[in-house]
Amino acid sequence: MKKLKKYSIGIFGGTFDPPHYGHLKISLLSIQKLHLDKVIWVITKKNPLKDKTFFSLKSRIARCKKILKNKKKIQIVFLEKKIKSRRIIDTIKYLQKKIRDTDFYLLLGSDNLVNFHKWKSWKKITQLTKLAIFSRKGYDHKAKKARIFKFLDKKKIIFVKNKKIDISSTKIRNNLK
């Protein structure tokens, strides 16, 4: 009997404050290089490690929809009210219950890997997903020396080769101020 292919989904979480084409590029690269069936943009109302957002949640969701127009393999979700949490660990657990028999990949820029050990339940996240790390200007060397490497099964992390993305929501917000 032929074994069915396991479904694979990339989880790309963040405030997307604002979303930009770097987010889209990472998503499309993930689909191509990791052979993902889908990427889910999990929008959070507020980053637990930051004080506030620049744009409203409603505005960020609208901007995400505009960027993702006609991108059928990329989905936008806001789950915080439904799962009563903004933490990625709770999102992963929810998605794993909802979408069974799936390999989940957590999509991160190399800048996020540097402080990944500060995330709630970060060790559990690495057990439940594979980490797909994308190059960010000025962070790759720091990322490869991050505390997480002492604990991580090397099969659970993938450094995706990509041209360094030199756009960020922070730069966009600073230009708008």
Side-chain angles (χ1 to χ4, degrees):
M1 183 181 235
K2 187 178 179 182
K3 188 177 177 185
L4 294 175
K5 177 190 175 282
K6 201 168 188 183
Y7 204 62
S8 59
I9 293 178
I11 300 170
F12 195 8
T15 53
F16 295 90
D17 187 27
H20 52 72
Y21 287 98
H23 294 127
L24 177 60
K25 189 172 191 167
I26 285 171
S27 300
L28 295 173
L29 271 171
S30 299
I31 291 166
Q32 177 193 6
K33 292 191 174 199
L34 302 172
H35 309 288
L36 300 180
D37 296 294
K38 182 194 301 190
V39 170
I40 300 174
W41 284 17
V42 181
I43 299 175
T44 186
K45 192 171 186 176
K46 184 184 153 310
N47 181 328
L49 301 176
K50 294 183 181 174
D51 291 332
K52 59 182 180 175
T53 60
F54 191 84
F55 290 99
S56 71
L57 176 63
K58 185 177 179 180
S59 172
R60 288 181 280 132
I61 290 172
R63 289 167 184 260
C64 286
K65 287 179 180 178
K66 187 175 181 180
I67 287 175
L68 297 179
K69 191 176 183 181
N70 301 321
K71 303 293 185 244
K72 293 177 181 15
K73 288 190 168 195
I74 306 172
Q75 175 186 353
I76 304 164
V77 297
F78 174 71
L79 298 171
E80 288 179 20
K81 285 183 181 176
K82 182 176 252 176
I83 66 173
K84 296 177 179 37
S85 174
R86 68 174 108 145
R87 305 292 185 171
I88 197 71
I89 185 64
D90 298 320
T91 301
I92 292 165
K93 288 177 179 177
Y94 172 80
L95 290 172
Q96 285 182 329
K97 285 180 187 169
K98 195 99 170 127
I99 311 166
R100 300 211 181 267
D101 297 322
T102 300
D103 287 327
F104 286 95
Y105 294 77
L106 184 60
L107 311 180
L108 299 169
S110 58
D111 56 325
N112 280 304
L113 202 58
V114 174
N115 291 312
F116 191 76
H117 65 280
K118 294 180 181 177
W119 293 25
K120 183 178 192 286
S121 305
W122 65 272
K123 288 180 184 177
K124 185 70 174 171
I125 292 169
T126 63
Q127 293 169 1
L128 299 176
T129 67
K130 290 182 182 174
L131 302 181
I133 309 302
F134 292 84
S135 184
R136 288 291 304 268
K137 188 176 180 182
Y139 287 96
D140 293 354
H141 184 69
K142 290 178 197 172
K144 290 183 179 174
K145 291 190 177 285
R147 181 175 168 197
I148 187 174
F149 279 100
K150 294 176 188 169
F151 302 97
L152 193 60
D153 176 354
K154 302 306 180 239
K155 294 177 189 167
K156 300 288 278 180
I157 189 164
I158 302 161
F159 283 90
V160 180
K161 292 189 189 301
N162 64 288
K163 290 181 183 175
K164 287 192 175 85
I165 296 169
D166 193 22
I167 185 171
S168 73
S169 296
T170 302
K171 281 184 179 180
I172 294 169
R173 287 191 308 270
N174 288 340
N175 287 336
L176 294 173
K177 288 180 183 178

